[in-house]
Every structure is written in structure tokens, then in C-alpha cells.
Amino acid sequence: MGRRRVYSTHEEQKAANRAKSKRHYERNKVAIRERRRERYREAPRPEVCLRRFKSMSPPHTCGTRDLDYWCSSAAQVKRKFEKLTSGSPPKDYVNSIVQNIILNQKEGPLKHAIKIISGLLQRIQRAESKVLAQHGLCDSYQQVVAIGRQVRELNVWLEEILCCLMLSISELHTAFLKSQLMYQTI
């Protein structure tokens, strides 16, 4: 005949283990802390990157390959943006989403659009920062910023609609009928 079970549930067993660990730590915390300090002191440290401070060369000396890459990345964002909006003006795209939400009482298309736009927004912001850091205020930077402006504007409009939906669909419907939504006033 075996011994009887000490713990009837998995949670009781975990709680007992935590209590045991806590008691052990309280008894040995000085030695444990000392071992941790030693490990911390002996651990290898990553070298601090001083690359940007090494040379103060003008930004245009970077390779054109980098500029080409980030410009093509921005162009790809623009193509995906146009594919998302089906080549129509962003106002018409947002208008169709709002009408779809009001008619179907579902916010699925809006959340899908926000998900796609958020990804595009991250990519275009990265392209903007890289082009600016490597090449300064050149013509390519202005082109990337123009694409970013469109993506940001659409993102703001969609987030405003999502905020209205958080209140209720009727609030969105009322704001739509009164032309109070941001995309309608521009």
C-alpha cells in the first residue's frame, strides 16, 4: 500500500512548490545574491556601437544601393496602398467602408483595412527615417514623405471610424449622415 496523496490538485502542488522556493530563498538570499552579482560581473558586455560618431561625413556619401532599396520599398507601399483602395481616391474607399458597416452592421472590413494600413504605415515610416538619415532632404525623401502622408491620412480616418464604432454603430451612422467624419470635411 502506497502513501496517501499530499496534494489533490495541480494548483495545490504549484502553491506548495512556490512556498518551498520562497522559504529556501529567505534562508539563503545572501549567498544567492552574491552568486548573481558574480555572474553579472563576469557576463560579457556588448560593445557600444559608436559607428555614427566615428565619422562626421556628409549624408550623401552613403551608397546609392541603400537609397534605391528604400525608394523601392516606398514604391511597394504605394502599390499596396493603391491595391487596397482599388485605385480609387482614399475618400471613396473610406466612404465604401462606412456604408458597408452601416448596411451590414459588421466592422470586419474596417479592422482588416486598419491591419493592412498599420503594416504599410510601419514600412513607410522606416523608409522615411532611413532615407532621411542616409541622404538628407533629397528629392527621393520628398517622394517617400508624400507616400507616407497618404498612408497616415487614411490611417487617421480609419481610426476615427473605429472610435465612433466603439460608441455604437448608430453614432457612426449619425456622424456619417451629418457629414461630421474627418474624411467628409476635407
Side-chain angles (χ1 to χ4, degrees):
M1 186 161 138
R3 67 181 180 93
R4 69 176 187 85
R5 283 184 172 259
V6 178
Y7 308 109
S8 57
T9 65
H10 185 65
E11 286 77 24
E12 288 178 356
Q13 190 175 7
K14 286 174 78 175
N17 266 339
R18 276 193 221 104
K20 180 181 72 171
S21 294
K22 194 172 187 176
R23 285 193 310 270
H24 176 269
Y25 179 76
E26 287 301 319
R27 278 195 315 265
N28 301 307
K29 67 178 158 186
V30 174
I32 291 171
R33 286 179 180 169
E34 190 59 38
R35 282 195 306 268
R36 286 180 180 168
R37 280 189 201 105
E38 283 301 315
R39 259 188 273 144
Y40 177 77
R41 286 186 201 118
E42 293 170 2
R45 301 281 180 264
E47 290 186 28
V48 177
C49 181
L50 299 175
R51 186 177 72 199
R52 68 178 152 171
F53 299 115
K54 283 184 180 175
S55 68
M56 298 303 280
S57 59
H60 66 276
T61 60
C62 295
T64 57
R65 179 175 167 257
D66 292 334
L67 179 64
D68 293 340
Y69 173 77
W70 292 113
C71 288
S72 67
S73 179
Q76 189 176 21
V77 167
K78 185 175 183 177
R79 284 192 299 274
K80 288 185 178 184
F81 179 81
E82 289 172 351
K83 182 180 177 186
L84 177 68
T85 60
S86 302
S88 61
K91 281 185 179 183
D92 295 343
Y93 173 70
V94 174
N95 201 33
S96 68
I97 287 180
V98 172
Q99 289 174 348
N100 190 352
I101 292 170
I102 292 170
L103 291 175
N104 299 329
Q105 302 290 313
K106 294 182 181 176
E107 53 192 61
L110 176 65
K111 289 187 176 180
H112 176 71
I114 288 176
K115 183 178 176 183
I116 292 172
I117 284 293
S118 297
L120 295 178
L121 188 58
Q122 286 178 348
R123 288 184 65 189
I124 198 69
Q125 286 173 337
R126 188 156 185 232
E128 285 176 357
S129 66
K130 293 291 184 178
V131 170
L132 180 63
Q134 294 175 357
H135 301 280
L137 296 171
C138 58
D139 293 334
S140 300
Y141 176 71
Q142 298 303 326
Q143 293 169 355
V144 173
V145 167
I147 296 167
R149 196 173 300 120
Q150 288 180 327
V151 174
R152 280 188 199 86
E153 185 177 51
L154 184 59
N155 186 48
V156 167
W157 292 347
L158 293 175
E159 286 181 352
E160 180 198 22
I161 293 166
L162 185 63
C163 289
C164 285
L165 274 177
M166 287 180 184
L167 298 172
S168 69
I169 290 181
S170 62
E171 287 286 330
L172 177 65
H173 189 242
T174 304
F176 176 72
L177 291 177
K178 292 182 178 179
S179 296
Q180 293 176 336
L181 295 172
M182 195 180 303
Y183 81 93
Q184 293 173 322
T185 59
I186 293 176

